[in-house]
Amino acid sequence: MVLSKTASESDVSIHSTFASRYVRTSLPRFRMSDNSIPKEAAYQIINDELMLDGNPRLNLASFVTTWMEPECDKLMMAAVNKNYVDMDEYPVTTELQNRCVNMIAHLFNAPLGESEAAVGVGTVGSSEAIMLAGLAFKRKWQNKRKEQGLPYDKPNIVTGANVQVCWEKFARYFEVELKEVKLREGYYVMDPHKAVEMVDENTICVAAILGSTLNGEFEDVKLLNELLTRKNAETGWDTPIHVDAASGGFIAPFLYPDLEWDFRLPLVKSINVSGHKYGLVYAGIGWCIWRTKDDLPEELIFHINYLGADQPTFTLNFSKGSSQVIAQYYQLIRLGFEGYKNIMENCQENAMVLKEGLEKTGRFNIVSKDNGVPLVAFSLKDNSRHDEFEVSEFLRRFGWIVPAYTMPPDAQNITVLRVVIREDFSRTLAERLVLDIQKVLHELDAMPSKKDMDIQKTKSVAAAWKRFVEDKRKTNGIC
Amino acid sequence: MHLGHHTTKFRMPENTIPKEAAYQIINDELMLDGNPRLNLASFVTTWMEPECDKLMMAAINKNYVDMDEYPVTTELQNRCVNMIAHLFNAPLGESEAAVGVGTVGSSEAIMLAGLAFKRKWQNKRKAEGKPYDKPNIVTGANVQVCWEKFARYFEVELKEVNLREGYYVMDPEKAVELVDENTICVAAILGSTLNGEFEDVKLLNDLLIKKNSETGWDVPIHVDAASGGFIAPFLYPELEWDFRLPLVKSINVSGHKYGLVYAGIGWNIWRSKEDLPEELIFHINYLGTDQPTFTLNFSKGSSQVIAQYYQLIRLGFEGYKNVMENCQENAMVLKEGLERTGRFTIVSKDNGIPLVAFSLKDHSRHDEFELSHHLRRFGWIVPAYTMPADAQHITVLRVVIREDFSRGLAERLVLDIEKVLRELDALPPNGKSMKRPADVANCHAALANGHVAKRLETDKKTNAIC
């Protein structure tokens, strides 16, 4: 008889998790193991490995929400087994999505009649939203060109070189050319004049960013709208605008309500926003809103049978969880306009606390603007001995994750560190971060400069490799 | 008290309300949603162990895409990819890393697989100096709607093999006949959504090899194993459907179906690096080294990846096998219960996905849609739908047997179906007075909001049977 089988049975009932054999054996990494293990052991093993992941709340690299109220956590957990796409079975959840779409459309001043339903969709994130928006522009443009008997095989999009990587993905996967307006030192967003110059008859849309990932700046959508309106009148092309408001869409309405960037501008036909950034929901929810039905070609829409009636849908993903949609609705009704405004004002203030603390050290240039997404992007005044990458590395040891990165062309000689201020980054944390940055500077000052160390070799190899990869295409994800 | 306030539905309210009120309002509205566990329409997992729920909740604020910040979570994804690749007999060397990716579901996985085939075929045609503007995919008319989406959004023609009465999957011979020089791949389904049947991928492979050698075309196969990928290896290990067949270049599977994870996770595995064109891959800086990625989505939660890994190590091969065997047995209990009523024809096969698809022997007085409707009152969600062309006169009811559908529930369902039959027998015959949901979707009628819901021509698949 096989003794080991008997031993495993007693293992399950008697031994505590860390006394059992399950923590002694090496976990399979490439192949499934033949045998089951007790659920407590599975839980413990995974939980323990995950301790070595970074702490999401100290991840200052990300715009994505890392804290929600326990009441919302409870709603999310209760909905974790609800497949969002089963609209027929979960009509209330579907209704909540529709309400969110309408609320956000109104927030963006969509030109809707009194009880007219908004045109929009919930997505997994801004990537999906952007792909859907881009698809709509592409198809509309193709249809128009076909009618005019003109070639429609070379569509392009005009954007700034500061666009997030998902635009490059859209371009590559959906076979659209990306025409990028280059940046320059001191001007890190898309220049509307240059953008409009690049527009041609094959341009399906111009994409402006409200809240550049690099330095939080809002692009001047109003100026773009004016210049493009003029060009359209001259050329007869009907080039529209898409606003990538992934970060800014839930900031501008509350902090800068007079800033015209949304559907108040006639050429803006669609807007995406990440629910999981300043929409204040955990990762996994974005929104795309179209100005009107005419901006979303019917042939792209799929009709799902929903409660015996037709539910039009336009998404790339099908089955997915329902939790984040419910959480978005929770936030919209829990906070209301005043709640979101209060939070954004707090973020703005804490960003100023951090910025002033950094300025007081006398060692940094602030690259971000005061207006825009609440973040602080900064470079070393003097990076001859040590650079921003080292500061970032050393800060990790204190637990902070603060990324360093170089700007895209033509400003690639500029390196910045960037701290994103989220709802859960309190003033105390801001002050603590400044102290720790000072400690790091202190440590670096005491060390020999990069040139004298082997690190230099590794960094230059890494940098050369990085340039090699970046030269091929824009593929680096700064997000 | 805020509960009395009219909650605006179209505009954000001006004011904040207390969190308890927000919780209660939403919680209470959601009581009117269906119960996920009684949703017998879906293949998607509706129950996991509390230990796993705990892990998922702890990871809810982790953005999966931050690979640099969450290296362990990324590592867990890589392990899942490798385990699943080996499960599918990917031809990998001893310590060779598998080529694959975690996705939000099989829709994303299929789009990525399709994109890879499209790009590979385009590159080949360009190199041959031939036109590459009319790519097509050959599938059965029984494909799930995401293939139609892929075709429409990525501008690929869908060439569908029509079904016929009694044969509800893609006929490999007809499929191979439809293949031409513009075919980027043939997609076979392991586990048709309509009746759970596995398509004969081996026969398809053999016929396609023959055609390839005759024509010089190199047409590959993709297997949509959304449901079957986590069933066949455990219940039918001898069935050759995966990378053991040389023409199979990629396979997708839904982690959230028989992978036993909640909604939000799928996997796509490629046979080898050569089957995934480099130009589609994006390189993210990850811990100072390169992490190649190929996904449509970017930011998303980490919970389902962790949950998939939990299931793979918690259950192991024997655990999955036990679960699938139980599902199979409960499917048989249900099927036999239905047969005993004498009122139904069983349309599903015994082998395949554990589900039971059945039609009424006699629908002169009442039909399957009414049965479905009446069952709802008992709490059960059992969908009824018509088959695609050319079998659209056949209507079926379909019950999917998931892990959490016990024998007790199977027996109760049979009892409730018998009750419904008795109720219907006592009612006058309905004829066409009760509009079928499919008919409503079919009619070119204006909806209440004035928007004309034009049903697209029936040659385009838009009705989602999922």
Side-chain angles (χ1 to χ4, degrees):
Chain A
M1 89 167 260
V2 182
L3 283 174
S4 59
K5 267 230 128 103
T6 315
S8 81
E9 278 164 37
S10 73
D11 224 23
V12 168
S13 58
I14 294 175
H15 291 289
S16 79
T17 306
F18 285 105
S20 75
R21 61 185 172 82
Y22 299 105
V23 298
R24 276 206 305 276
T25 50
S26 168
L27 268 188
R29 279 148 212 267
F30 287 105
R31 289 174 196 271
M32 279 171 81
S33 145
D34 287 331
N35 302 109
S36 306
I37 65 177
K39 46 195 166 89
E40 300 81 8
Y43 169 81
Q44 204 63 53
I45 289 168
I46 295 176
N47 182 66
D48 293 358
E49 272 213 84
L50 289 174
M51 289 194 303
L52 293 167
D53 265 347
N55 178 346
R57 292 197 52 201
L58 296 181
N59 177 7
L60 306 184
S62 179
F63 296 91
V64 176
T65 296
T66 46
W67 180 85
M68 294 191 83
E69 287 175 328
E71 285 72 9
C72 190
D73 285 354
K74 212 167 142 195
L75 283 171
M76 292 185 79
M77 207 51 219
V80 79
N81 64 349
K82 241 183 233 186
N83 181 2
Y84 177 78
V85 81
D86 287 338
M87 297 175 189
D88 199 34
E89 288 80 5
Y90 311 125
V92 178
T93 301
T94 304
E95 168 76 15
L96 296 190
Q97 187 223 218
N98 292 343
R99 288 183 206 165
C100 290
V101 166
N102 279 282
M103 290 187 187
I104 295 172
H106 279 105
L107 196 64
F108 294 167
N109 297 293
L112 297 167
E114 192 44 49
S115 50
E116 188 185 340
V119 182
V121 72
T123 63
V124 165
S126 277
S127 287
E128 185 185 1
I130 277 164
M131 290 181 187
L132 297 175
L135 247 182
F137 284 120
K138 185 184 182 197
R139 194 56 61 92
K140 231 187 153 197
W141 175 84
Q142 284 172 327
N143 291 344
K144 188 181 72 175
R145 298 281 287 183
K146 272 189 229 184
E147 264 174 52
Q148 296 171 336
L150 294 165
Y152 55 93
D153 58 323
K154 292 195 179 330
N156 69 59
I157 273 194
V158 174
T159 67
N162 55 325
V163 278
Q164 209 256 17
V165 70
C166 66
W167 284 98
E168 171 71 12
K169 267 192 192 183
F170 167 72
R172 208 185 295 183
Y173 296 163
F174 291 85
E175 291 162 10
V176 174
E177 185 196 345
L178 205 61
K179 295 176 75 165
E180 291 183 346
V181 178
K182 298 239 176 305
L183 314 181
R184 57 181 185 275
E185 189 168 336
Y187 195 96
Y188 302 120
V189 290
M190 178 176 77
D191 183 337
H193 292 277
K194 297 221 175 111
V196 174
E197 270 170 50
M198 287 177 110
V199 166
D200 61 29
E201 55 176 332
N202 291 314
T203 303
I204 68 177
C205 82
V206 181
I209 303 185
L210 196 78
S212 168
T213 30
L214 300 175
N215 66 349
E217 199 174 330
F218 288 169
E219 287 179 358
D220 193 341
V221 193
K222 188 167 203 289
L223 178 57
L224 177 65
N225 182 79
E226 283 164 16
L227 297 172
L228 196 51
T229 299
R230 210 184 307 154
K231 180 152 185 175
N232 281 344
E234 291 164 5
T235 57
W237 304 330
D238 206 5
T239 316
I241 294 174
H242 174 88
V243 182
D244 176 358
S247 306
F250 270 106
I251 294 172
F254 306 109
L255 292 184
Y256 313 107
D258 297 325
L259 180 72
E260 284 178 44
W261 65 273
D262 53 15
F263 293 118
R264 284 168 284 179
L265 303 170
L267 288 186
V268 172
K269 306 300 185 187
S270 50
I271 301 174
N272 68 281
V273 66
S274 287
H276 56 222
K277 291 179 182 136
Y278 291 92
L280 305 176
V281 181
Y282 295 126
I285 180 90
W287 302 94
C288 196
I289 313 286
W290 282 270
R291 189 185 193 86
T292 65
K293 315 196 218 33
D294 302 313
D295 299 297
L296 182 47
E298 178 63 32
E299 69 231 53
L300 292 175
I301 300 178
F302 277 77
H303 295 267
I304 307 270
N305 188 303
Y306 166 41
L307 293 183
D310 176 59
Q311 169 87 6
T313 74
F314 179 38
T315 57
L316 297 181
N317 298 295
F318 196 64
S319 291
K320 62 187 179 188
S322 305
S323 300
Q324 287 91 339
V325 170
I326 291 169
Q328 179 76 83
Y329 184 70
Y330 174 93
Q331 293 289 54
L332 290 169
I333 69 165
R334 153 55 169 153
L335 296 169
F337 195 95
E338 76 169 310
Y340 270 95
K341 184 159 182 273
N342 289 341
I343 289 172
M344 300 311 151
E345 282 172 351
N346 281 356
C347 290
Q348 189 63 5
E349 276 180 43
N350 290 333
M352 292 304 103
V353 165
L354 178 63
K355 174 189 148 200
E356 281 152 18
L358 292 170
E359 282 174 327
K360 269 205 286 285
T361 67
R363 305 283 294 266
F364 297 105
N365 289 328
I366 306 295
V367 174
S368 48
K369 305 273 191 315
D370 282 0
N371 287 354
V373 177
L375 60 79
V376 185
F378 50 105
S379 341
L380 284 164
K381 284 186 177 166
D382 170 14
N383 55 7
S384 56
R385 297 185 70 244
H386 299 283
D387 65 14
E388 288 82 357
F389 289 98
E390 290 176 84
V391 174
S392 171
E393 223 178 276
F394 277 64
L395 270 173
R396 272 264 196 169
R397 282 176 28 241
F398 288 83
W400 302 105
I401 298 170
V402 178
Y405 51 87
T406 48
M407 289 294 197
D410 289 324
Q412 55 272 53
N413 54 324
I414 306 292
T415 309
V416 292
L417 290 147
R418 183 192 75 194
V419 173
V420 176
I421 312 296
R422 295 191 298 273
E423 174 187 10
D424 58 344
F425 186 75
S426 62
R427 185 186 179 117
T428 339
L429 286 177
E431 289 168 349
R432 167 152 249 145
L433 176 60
V434 173
L435 283 172
D436 286 347
I437 287 177
Q438 285 171 318
K439 284 186 202 151
V440 166
L441 288 174
H442 214 66
E443 281 182 25
L444 285 175
D445 288 342
M447 283 172 57
S449 85
K450 284 194 329 162
K451 294 188 182 73
D452 304 333
M453 294 173 73
D454 277 346
I455 293 176
Q456 170 68 348
K457 282 200 206 123
T458 324
K459 279 258 149 52
S460 64
V461 168
W465 174 85
K466 228 172 119 167
R467 269 196 305 278
F468 170 72
V469 172
E470 276 170 332
D471 281 341
K472 288 172 84 170
R473 293 194 205 259
K474 175 205 282 309
T475 53
N476 240 12
I478 311 288
C479 42
Chain B
M1 180 67 224
H2 292 271
L3 286 176
H5 270 157
H6 165 66
T7 317
T8 48
K9 299 185 183 212
F10 286 105
R11 293 177 193 270
M12 275 175 83
E14 272 303 311
N15 300 111
T16 306
I17 64 176
K19 48 195 167 90
E20 299 80 8
Y23 169 82
Q24 206 61 52
I25 291 169
I26 297 176
N27 182 66
D28 293 357
E29 272 212 82
L30 289 174
M31 290 195 301
L32 294 166
D33 265 348
N35 178 346
R37 292 197 52 201
L38 297 181
N39 177 7
L40 305 184
S42 180
F43 296 92
V44 177
T45 296
T46 46
W47 179 87
M48 294 192 82
E49 287 173 329
E51 284 73 9
C52 191
D53 285 353
K54 211 166 144 196
L55 283 171
M56 292 184 79
M57 205 54 218
I60 204 166
N61 64 350
K62 242 184 232 187
N63 181 1
Y64 177 79
V65 80
D66 287 337
M67 294 176 192
D68 200 33
E69 287 81 4
Y70 311 125
V72 178
T73 301
T74 306
E75 167 78 12
L76 296 191
Q77 187 223 220
N78 292 344
R79 287 184 206 166
C80 289
V81 165
N82 279 282
M83 289 184 187
I84 295 170
H86 278 104
L87 197 63
F88 294 169
N89 296 294
L92 297 167
E94 191 46 47
S95 49
E96 189 184 339
V99 181
V101 71
T103 62
V104 164
S106 276
S107 287
E108 185 186 359
I110 277 163
M111 289 179 189
L112 297 175
L115 248 182
F117 283 120
K118 185 184 183 197
R119 194 56 61 92
K120 231 189 151 192
W121 173 84
Q122 283 171 327
N123 291 344
K124 187 179 74 170
R125 298 280 288 181
K126 272 190 230 184
E128 291 169 358
K130 297 203 184 127
Y132 54 93
D133 58 322
K134 292 196 180 330
N136 69 57
I137 273 196
V138 173
T139 68
N142 56 325
V143 276
Q144 207 257 15
V145 71
C146 66
W147 284 98
E148 171 71 14
K149 271 192 190 181
F150 167 72
R152 208 185 295 183
Y153 296 165
F154 291 86
E155 291 161 12
V156 174
E157 186 197 345
L158 204 61
K159 294 176 77 167
E160 290 184 347
V161 178
N162 281 344
L163 315 181
R164 54 182 188 275
E165 187 169 339
Y167 195 95
Y168 302 118
V169 291
M170 178 175 77
D171 182 336
E173 284 172 10
K174 296 217 174 113
V176 174
E177 270 169 48
L178 283 181
V179 165
D180 61 30
E181 56 176 329
N182 291 314
T183 303
I184 69 176
C185 84
V186 181
I189 303 184
L190 196 78
S192 168
T193 29
L194 301 174
N195 66 348
E197 199 174 330
F198 289 169
E199 288 179 356
D200 192 341
V201 192
K202 185 166 205 296
L203 178 58
L204 176 66
N205 180 79
D206 296 342
L207 295 172
L208 196 51
I209 287 181
K210 208 186 306 165
K211 180 147 186 176
N212 280 344
S213 65
E214 286 163 15
T215 57
W217 305 330
D218 204 4
V219 183
I221 294 173
H222 174 86
V223 182
D224 177 357
S227 306
F230 269 106
I231 293 173
F234 306 108
L235 292 185
Y236 313 106
E238 306 306 320
L239 180 71
E240 282 179 45
W241 64 274
D242 55 15
F243 293 119
R244 283 168 285 180
L245 303 171
L247 288 186
V248 172
K249 306 300 184 190
S250 52
I251 301 174
N252 68 282
V253 65
S254 287
H256 56 222
K257 291 180 183 136
Y258 291 93
L260 305 177
V261 181
Y262 296 126
I265 180 89
W267 303 94
N268 202 61
I269 313 287
W270 282 270
R271 187 185 195 87
S272 67
K273 305 196 228 25
E274 282 74 48
D275 298 298
L276 181 48
E278 178 64 29
E279 68 233 53
L280 292 175
I281 300 177
F282 277 77
H283 294 267
I284 308 273
N285 189 307
Y286 164 42
L287 293 182
T289 54
D290 175 58
Q291 170 85 7
T293 72
F294 179 39
T295 57
L296 297 180
N297 297 295
F298 195 64
S299 291
K300 60 186 182 189
S302 305
S303 300
Q304 288 91 339
V305 170
I306 291 170
Q308 179 75 84
Y309 184 69
Y310 173 93
Q311 293 289 53
L312 289 171
I313 69 164
R314 153 60 171 147
L315 296 170
F317 196 95
E318 71 170 339
Y320 269 95
K321 184 157 181 273
N322 290 341
V323 169
M324 301 309 152
E325 282 172 350
N326 284 356
C327 290
Q328 189 63 4
E329 275 178 45
N330 291 332
M332 292 303 104
V333 165
L334 178 63
K335 174 190 148 199
E336 281 153 22
L338 292 170
E339 281 174 329
R340 267 200 296 279
T341 66
R343 304 284 294 266
F344 297 107
T345 315
I346 306 294
V347 173
S348 48
K349 306 273 195 306
D350 282 0
N351 285 355
I353 307 296
L355 62 78
V356 185
F358 50 104
S359 333
L360 283 164
K361 284 184 176 166
D362 168 18
H363 12 15
S364 54
R365 298 180 74 247
H366 299 283
D367 66 17
E368 288 82 356
F369 291 96
E370 290 175 80
L371 194 68
S372 170
H373 198 71
H374 281 250
L375 268 175
R376 272 267 195 168
R377 282 176 29 243
F378 289 83
W380 302 105
I381 299 170
V382 178
Y385 52 87
T386 47
M387 289 293 198
D390 291 322
Q392 53 271 55
H393 54 288
I394 305 289
T395 310
V396 292
L397 290 147
R398 184 190 76 193
V399 173
V400 177
I401 311 296
R402 293 191 300 274
E403 175 185 12
D404 57 343
F405 185 76
S406 62
R407 184 184 181 119
L409 286 176
E411 289 167 349
R412 167 149 253 150
L413 176 61
V414 173
L415 285 172
D416 287 347
I417 287 176
E418 284 170 339
K419 282 186 202 151
V420 167
L421 287 173
R422 280 197 295 278
E423 278 180 25
L424 287 176
D425 287 343
L427 288 179
N430 238 325
K432 297 287 183 229
S433 65
M434 179 176 145
K435 264 201 139 76
R436 304 174 182 198
D439 290 340
V440 171
N442 267 325
C443 65
H444 296 256
L447 285 187
N449 66 2
H451 171 64
V452 174
K454 246 174 75 159
R455 172 74 166 88
L456 293 180
E457 301 313 306
T458 43
D459 64 351
K460 292 224 163 95
K461 171 200 297 302
T462 53
N463 233 14
I465 311 290
C466 40

